Amino acid sequence: MKNREILLVKRPDGEPTDEHLSIEEAAIPALSDGEAIVRLLYVSVDPYMRGRMNEGKSYVEPFQLNQPMEGGAVAEVIESQSDKLQVGDIVTGSLPWREYTAIAAESVRKIDPALGPVTTSLHILGMTGLTAYFGLMDIGRPQEGETVVVSGAAGAVGSTVVQIATIAGARVVGIAGSEEKVQLVKQLGADEVINYQTEDVSSALAEACPNGVDIYFDNVGGDISDAVYPLLNKFARIVQCGAISSYNKKDDQGPRIQHYLIKSSALIKGFTVGDYRERYPEGLQHLSKWLQEGKLTYEETITEGFENIPQAFFGLFTGENIGKQLVKVNEPSRFGS
Amino acid sequence: MKNREILLVKRPDGEPTDEHLSIEEAAIPALSDGEAIVRLLYVSVDPYMRGRMNEGKSYVEPFQLNQPMEGGAVAEVIESQSDKLQVGDIVTGSLPWREYTAIAAESVRKIDPALGPVTTSLHILGMTGLTAYFGLMDIGRPQEGETVVVSGAAGAVGSTVVQIATIAGARVVGIAGSEEKVQLVKQLGADEVINYQTEDVSSALAEACPNGVDIYFDNVGGDISDAVYPLLNKFARIVQCGAISSYNKKDDQGPRIQHYLIKSSALIKGFTVGDYRERYPEGLQHLSKWLQEGKLTYEETITEGFENIPQAFFGLFTGENIGKQLVKVNEPSRFGS
């Protein structure tokens, strides 16, 4: 048994390239009590990882120099000294970019391969899908015929919300930032999609929502949300999933919104997917069923080979991927993907 | 039987005086099917009525010139052609300042005099108390030991919220705007009271809430609320009852708040008491029980005589009343007040 890992050897100034990452031979992991050794099957490469390559504080912890890169991954248990994990179990969690790793049993989540391809645990049957599911179904609670507005509708979470809201029989209005994204969101089933780069969002929304807004699934905050609040119906629900337009601004100001909530007896609820940890099985059952029925779709691009992880990551910044970019490192030994 | 009413005969520029209201003889009301004739017992005089004396649009409908003033009142049914109202029933609703009036049965709510003095249906066992009760108990859901912050804590609703939160075993922190109000709120049971006129609200709140804020009952919005949001605990609940600081400002701006809600998985819910119409009996049962046990107190000032309604109303603007200002017009014929 040989082992390899991918280290951050230099912090990039601009785009990350080969000089910043290095594939090195790694020690064979030793197994301790309560731990398991896993073999990497798939890794997810994501734009947010670029931020972690910088030194200094950000909203995420920086990667350490001369330590492996790390991120969402699927792996297979090949040895175990934990009664929570059996050899052959497929798990997901944040793992180092290393072929074999010793992990604490609590640091990963077991995947049921019967629910869908194991790669989906990195997107539609993972945090992305669960965020969309619980936000929309637990906070939004869509009823047939209600109007659901989704901001960031072409994003990973937003595009899933559009599909689930459509499944729920709602009228879905998406908001996105390019013609290409608008087309994507329409294909996912949205009744109307607004391009906030080229349209006046307030008047376009008023036209797209002749019966007002019952649910607003908000990924962005800012000006786009300001255009939604005046259209809220009585007892409207706002799912506050993200506020990306505010994250990098200090003291971001905008119109006060409290009076809209009083006028419409409306609700805003912030959340993170971890709030629903105990209900993940319920969410996964629903998502998996819709997936198997063909009601829920996703896009992924899969590159092959551990040694190609860096190229797949770099490719994110030149727009080479469609949908979720993954790298397949190994074939699972017991389950098909 | 003679009848009298109080008409708005001139719209005031500044403070209302005798020249703006006139006590006139009124027609004897005629009874139609589904209606009842009521005899006025108590009227509530309120500052907001001054706004209705102006011409033109406001957030409330203006009173008509040469028509009677109107507002919250308690009355007794003396004749009825509705099977929903019996002679002797005590009712409350918005009634004209007129001794005898024909009303539609649906326009009033029957009072159960066993719950408390009938005057309390104009405050603590009326809209004021029900607003405090449902906002705090249904949206806030206080748990023993949680921290509840109340803005506008000396107001009609706020002072009731302070008491109910205390009954629920919460740690209560009030915010009010004068030393006199601070003392009042302390007497009602608040653990800490902040004077926003003389203290820095942010630092005073941080000191008064060492364990953060679990529930924020907000009557005011604006700067005071801005100081509360950063202190929200995980799963905090904000009861958006009022936003009085924004009502008279066009395009009132402030810091965006969405990211606070995400960070703490918090909730803001706007409401009006009418949302709970079907549950009024439940709310009145609880409020009445606490009132009878002496756990809930209220203050009212009662002036006597129909002809003294105008003076009682004018007195609101010179600060003559303590607590709720009422005018007793008649003694109920069957029940003690």
Side-chain angles (χ1 to χ4, degrees):
Chain A
M1 177 164 145
K2 277 181 72 173
N3 200 7
R4 287 183 298 174
E5 62 190 359
I6 298 173
L7 306 181
L8 173 66
V9 292
K10 189 178 172 190
R11 298 193 186 276
D13 270 336
E15 284 198 5
T17 65
D18 274 334
E19 66 174 317
H20 304 111
L21 299 181
S22 178
I23 302 181
E24 305 280 349
E25 195 151 318
I28 303 295
L31 192 58
S32 312
D33 212 40
E35 292 193 339
I37 292 176
V38 296
R39 187 169 68 114
L40 208 54
L41 300 183
Y42 291 93
V43 304
S44 168
V45 292
D46 297 282
Y48 82 89
M49 294 172 171
R50 171 63 189 81
R52 299 190 65 182
M53 296 172 85
N54 292 336
E55 202 157 17
K57 279 193 186 157
S58 162
Y59 67 102
V60 282
E61 196 70 13
F63 291 126
Q64 296 300 304
L65 215 52
N66 299 316
Q67 291 294 317
M69 297 279 286
E70 184 183 315
V74 170
E76 180 180 10
V77 175
I78 58 164
E79 283 188 64
S80 177
Q81 283 191 14
S82 159
D83 49 12
K84 288 178 190 131
L85 293 175
Q86 311 300 318
V87 171
D89 282 350
I90 309 290
V91 297
T92 186
S94 186
L95 295 175
W97 290 359
R98 186 192 287 133
E99 290 186 283
Y100 298 92
T101 300
I103 54 154
E106 300 73 34
S107 67
V108 293
R109 177 171 69 84
K110 236 158 75 171
I111 298 172
D112 178 358
L115 295 177
V118 298
T119 57
T120 58
S121 70
L122 294 171
H123 45 86
I124 195 102
L125 295 187
M127 295 305 117
T128 307
L130 290 167
T131 300
Y133 177 84
F134 287 111
L136 183 66
M137 300 308 274
D138 191 67
I139 301 172
R141 300 176 178 266
Q143 301 297 309
E144 185 138 356
E146 284 193 323
T147 298
V148 178
V149 172
V150 184
S151 63
V157 171
S159 61
T160 311
V161 172
V162 166
Q163 295 180 78
I164 301 177
T166 303
I167 293 168
R171 172 180 173 78
V172 182
V173 177
I175 308 175
S178 74
E179 207 38 54
E180 194 189 344
K181 290 179 179 175
V182 166
Q183 291 312 320
L184 169 73
V185 177
K186 278 189 180 157
Q187 281 161 25
L188 294 175
D191 296 275
E192 302 277 348
V193 189
I194 294 163
N195 182 339
Y196 69 82
Q197 295 283 8
T198 59
E199 299 182 65
D200 177 77
V201 179
S202 286
S203 57
L205 265 176
E207 206 170 304
C209 306
N211 300 319
V213 174
D214 299 296
I215 297 173
Y216 174 39
F217 195 107
D218 188 10
N219 291 299
V220 304
D223 294 349
I224 289 174
S225 297
D226 294 340
V228 179
Y229 301 131
L231 300 176
L232 295 177
N233 284 338
K234 184 87 179 168
F235 301 124
R237 292 81 73 195
I238 298 177
V239 185
Q240 197 68 50
C241 181
I244 200 167
S245 70
S246 287
Y247 293 156
N248 296 315
K249 293 182 195 160
K250 239 192 125 141
D251 296 328
D252 190 20
Q253 301 267 316
R256 293 194 184 277
I257 63 177
Q258 291 88 346
H259 60 106
Y260 291 118
L261 304 179
I262 298 169
K263 202 184 67 175
S264 55
S265 295
L267 162 104
I268 306 187
K269 174 83 177 69
F271 78 109
T272 52
V273 67
D275 300 346
Y276 294 95
R277 203 176 304 276
E278 318 245 297
R279 290 174 59 191
Y280 284 173
E282 167 204 331
L284 292 173
Q285 284 297 341
H286 282 96
L287 292 164
S288 155
K289 179 170 161 282
W290 293 326
L291 203 57
Q292 284 159 15
E293 293 171 350
K295 291 179 180 168
L296 204 54
T297 65
Y298 60 90
E299 293 200 85
E300 60 181 16
T301 301
I302 300 184
T303 298
E304 303 248 346
F306 184 79
E307 62 284 0
N308 291 321
I309 294 175
Q311 293 308 323
F313 175 58
F314 304 151
L316 295 174
F317 302 96
T318 51
E320 290 173 14
N321 61 305
I322 297 171
K324 186 73 175 177
Q325 174 70 57
L326 304 175
V327 180
K328 182 175 182 176
V329 175
N330 282 295
E331 194 72 43
S333 55
R334 297 172 47 156
F335 304 100
S337 69
Chain B
M1 177 164 144
K2 275 181 74 174
N3 201 7
R4 287 185 298 174
E5 61 190 358
I6 299 173
L7 306 181
L8 173 67
V9 291
K10 190 179 171 191
R11 298 193 186 278
D13 269 335
E15 283 197 7
T17 64
D18 274 334
E19 65 174 320
H20 305 111
L21 299 180
S22 177
I23 302 179
E24 305 281 346
E25 194 150 320
I28 303 295
L31 192 57
S32 314
D33 211 40
E35 292 193 341
I37 292 175
V38 295
R39 187 169 69 115
L40 208 54
L41 300 184
Y42 291 93
V43 303
S44 169
V45 292
D46 296 283
Y48 82 88
M49 294 170 170
R50 172 64 188 82
R52 298 189 67 181
M53 297 172 85
N54 292 336
E55 201 157 19
K57 279 193 185 162
S58 163
Y59 68 102
V60 282
E61 196 69 14
F63 291 127
Q64 296 300 306
L65 215 53
N66 299 315
Q67 292 293 317
M69 298 279 287
E70 183 182 316
V74 169
E76 180 180 10
V77 176
I78 58 165
E79 282 188 63
S80 177
Q81 283 190 14
S82 160
D83 49 13
K84 291 181 186 125
L85 292 176
Q86 311 299 321
V87 171
D89 282 350
I90 308 291
V91 297
T92 184
S94 186
L95 296 175
W97 289 359
R98 187 191 287 134
E99 290 186 284
Y100 298 92
T101 300
I103 55 157
E106 301 72 34
S107 69
V108 293
R109 178 171 69 82
K110 234 155 79 167
I111 297 171
D112 177 359
L115 296 178
V118 299
T119 58
T120 58
S121 70
L122 295 171
H123 45 84
I124 196 103
L125 295 188
M127 296 305 118
T128 307
L130 290 168
T131 299
Y133 176 84
F134 287 112
L136 184 66
M137 300 308 273
D138 190 68
I139 301 172
R141 299 176 177 267
Q143 302 297 309
E144 184 138 356
E146 285 192 323
T147 298
V148 178
V149 172
V150 184
S151 63
V157 171
S159 61
T160 311
V161 172
V162 165
Q163 296 180 78
I164 301 177
T166 304
I167 293 168
R171 170 179 174 78
V172 182
V173 177
I175 307 175
S178 74
E179 208 38 55
E180 193 189 346
K181 290 180 179 175
V182 166
Q183 292 312 321
L184 168 73
V185 177
K186 279 189 179 156
Q187 280 163 24
L188 294 175
D191 296 275
E192 301 277 350
V193 189
I194 293 163
N195 182 340
Y196 69 81
Q197 295 284 9
T198 60
E199 298 182 66
D200 175 79
V201 178
S202 286
S203 57
L205 264 176
E207 206 171 303
C209 305
N211 299 319
V213 175
D214 299 297
I215 297 172
Y216 174 39
F217 196 107
D218 188 10
N219 291 300
V220 304
D223 295 350
I224 288 173
S225 296
D226 295 341
V228 179
Y229 301 131
L231 300 175
L232 295 177
N233 285 338
K234 184 85 179 169
F235 300 124
R237 290 83 71 196
I238 299 176
V239 185
Q240 198 67 51
C241 181
I244 200 166
S245 69
S246 287
Y247 293 156
N248 296 316
K249 293 182 194 162
K250 236 191 129 143
D251 297 327
D252 191 21
Q253 302 267 316
R256 293 193 183 277
I257 63 177
Q258 292 88 347
H259 61 106
Y260 291 118
L261 304 179
I262 297 170
K263 202 184 68 177
S264 56
S265 295
L267 163 104
I268 307 187
K269 175 84 175 71
F271 78 109
T272 51
V273 68
D275 300 346
Y276 295 95
R277 201 175 306 276
E278 318 244 299
R279 291 174 58 192
Y280 284 173
E282 167 204 330
L284 292 173
Q285 284 298 339
H286 282 97
L287 291 164
S288 156
K289 180 171 161 282
W290 292 327
L291 202 58
Q292 283 159 16
E293 292 171 353
K295 292 180 181 168
L296 204 53
T297 63
Y298 60 90
E299 293 201 85
E300 59 180 18
T301 301
I302 300 183
T303 299
E304 303 247 347
F306 185 79
E307 62 285 0
N308 292 321
I309 294 175
Q311 292 307 323
F313 175 58
F314 304 151
L316 295 175
F317 302 96
T318 50
E320 289 173 17
N321 60 305
I322 296 172
K324 185 74 177 176
Q325 174 70 57
L326 304 174
V327 181
K328 181 175 182 175
V329 176
N330 282 294
E331 195 74 44
S333 54
R334 297 172 48 156
F335 303 99
S337 68

